[in-house]
């Protein structure tokens, strides 16, 4: 079974503060991928990052950074110097192969999401 | 390139009516997902197609829900008869499945906001 836990349901920060969104996952597979998606108030789901289980290097993209630690099964997301436009719901997701005996498919489980509010 | 296209964007219907949601995946993608999002349950996978074939429909809530993918560029999710508890945002998403490479990014449509009154 796979599971994704985002323990923080809502976070509020003041603009320019740094904020970290936590994601803890469970899987028995050695090969898997992790994702972060952003859902702004307009409702669409926007892909942010993909990371495979063999690459534990941290990644930075502008004000966004991600910390992947297999030892703790965590894939945390940090926003530096937060801005009002960062206000959204952020989803962590785990992808692994399933049904390989019958051809296989991509099974993806999403966390419940963390609602981030950045206050001006 | 166009992303995943869903229609209608918003639908308000009366209980008991049939609802059909439509999706056009990204050209070249061979996997299609239907998700439902509610406040209580978050994002739930309803059904997954690979090469137009339903592979996993374990998330389809009940017989009132059905999904089809007659070709690689079109899928429908039908609810008949609809009930107020079906009110949710329904997302269609697509990706390109490369066998055991599970890291293929899933791209979402903008969602269909369904309200059943």
């Amino acid at each position: 079974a796979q599971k994704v836990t985002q323990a923080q349901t809502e976070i509020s920060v003041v603009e320019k503060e740094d904020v970290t969104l936590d994601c803890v996952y469970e899987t028995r597979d050695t090969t898997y991928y992790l994702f972060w998606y952003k859902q702004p108030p307009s409702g669409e789901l926007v892909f942010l990052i993909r990371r495979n289980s063999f690459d534990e290097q941290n990644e930075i993209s502008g004000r966004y950074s991600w910390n992947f630690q297999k030892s703790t099964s965590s894939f945390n997301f940090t926003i530096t110097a937060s801005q009002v436009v960062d206000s959204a719901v952020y989803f962590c997701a785990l992808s692994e192969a399933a049904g390989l005996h019958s051809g296989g498919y991509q099974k993806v489980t999403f966390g419940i999401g963390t609602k981030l509010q950045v206050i001006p | 390139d166009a992303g995943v296209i869903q229609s209608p964007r918003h639908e308000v219907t009366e209980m008991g009516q049939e609802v059909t949601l439509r999706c056009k995946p990204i050209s070249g993608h061979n996997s299609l997902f239907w998700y439902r999002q509610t406040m209580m349950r978050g994002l739930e996978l309803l059904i997954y197609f690979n090469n137009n074939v339903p592979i996993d429909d374990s998330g389809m809530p009940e017989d009132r829900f059905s999904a089809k993918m007659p070709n690689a560029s079109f899928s429908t999710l039908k609810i008949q008869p609809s009930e107020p508890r079906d009110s949710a945002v329904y997302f269609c998403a697509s990706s390109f499945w490369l066998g055991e490479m599970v890291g293929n990014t899933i791209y979402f449509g903008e969602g269909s906001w369904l309200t059943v009154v």
Side-chain angles (χ1 to χ4, degrees):
Chain A
Q2 55 177 322
K3 182 179 176 183
V4 177
T5 301
Q6 295 181 255
Q8 307 146 305
T9 53
E10 290 193 40
I11 302 176
S12 289
V13 298
V14 177
E15 199 170 22
K16 297 184 183 178
E17 287 184 347
D18 298 347
V19 59
T20 295
L21 310 182
D22 298 332
C23 174
V24 175
Y25 62 93
E26 296 177 27
T27 180
R28 295 180 180 177
D29 283 8
T30 55
T31 302
Y32 53 89
Y33 281 74
L34 297 162
F35 300 83
W36 276 94
Y37 287 83
K38 174 182 180 180
Q39 187 175 40
S42 51
E44 70 272 24
L45 278 157
V46 179
F47 164 74
L48 295 178
I49 189 172
R50 181 183 80 195
R51 173 69 64 197
N52 75 56
S53 54
F54 299 106
D55 182 2
E56 289 192 71
Q57 281 192 334
N58 292 336
E59 180 153 342
I60 299 174
S61 176
R63 295 183 298 106
Y64 294 173
S65 62
W66 290 269
N67 181 260
F68 175 32
Q69 292 196 352
K70 289 180 72 173
S71 60
T72 56
S73 297
S74 64
F75 186 43
N76 296 337
F77 173 30
T78 297
I79 302 174
T80 303
S82 60
Q83 299 177 2
V84 173
V85 293
D86 296 326
S87 297
V89 180
Y90 292 87
F91 291 93
C92 180
L94 168 67
S95 172
E96 61 181 354
L100 291 175
H101 60 282
S102 57
Y105 64 95
Q106 183 178 10
K107 189 171 180 69
V108 182
T109 302
F110 282 81
I112 198 71
T114 297
K115 183 176 182 180
L116 173 66
Q117 183 178 15
V118 181
I119 303 167
Chain B
D1 286 341
V4 177
I5 299 172
Q6 292 186 245
S7 65
R9 288 294 314 280
H10 299 272
E11 175 93 6
V12 180
T13 190
E14 291 186 348
M15 183 173 63
Q17 296 298 305
E18 177 180 293
V19 173
T20 299
L21 308 179
R22 298 173 177 79
C23 175
K24 177 179 169 55
I26 292 173
S27 177
H29 281 188
N30 62 358
S31 293
L32 185 137
F33 307 77
W34 281 101
Y35 283 89
R36 178 173 67 177
Q37 185 179 31
T38 60
M39 289 292 292
M40 293 298 295
R41 301 173 70 90
L43 270 167
E44 302 175 277
L45 176 66
L46 299 178
I47 189 168
Y48 166 85
F49 291 88
N50 185 244
N51 293 322
N52 312 336
V53 177
I55 301 297
D56 182 0
D57 64 355
S58 58
M60 295 286 265
E62 48 198 274
D63 291 345
R64 297 184 299 107
F65 285 70
S66 63
K68 294 182 180 179
M69 192 164 186
N71 57 61
S73 59
F74 184 65
S75 176
T76 59
L77 177 67
K78 186 176 293 186
I79 308 172
Q80 166 62 22
S82 58
E83 296 182 4
R85 60 193 169 118
D86 301 330
S87 298
V89 183
Y90 291 82
F91 286 100
C92 178
S94 71
S95 73
F96 184 59
W97 168 254
L98 291 174
E100 292 184 48
M101 291 180 62
V102 298
N104 310 296
T105 301
I106 298 176
Y107 294 95
F108 285 80
E110 293 184 315
S112 291
W113 300 66
L114 173 65
T115 302
V116 183
V117 298

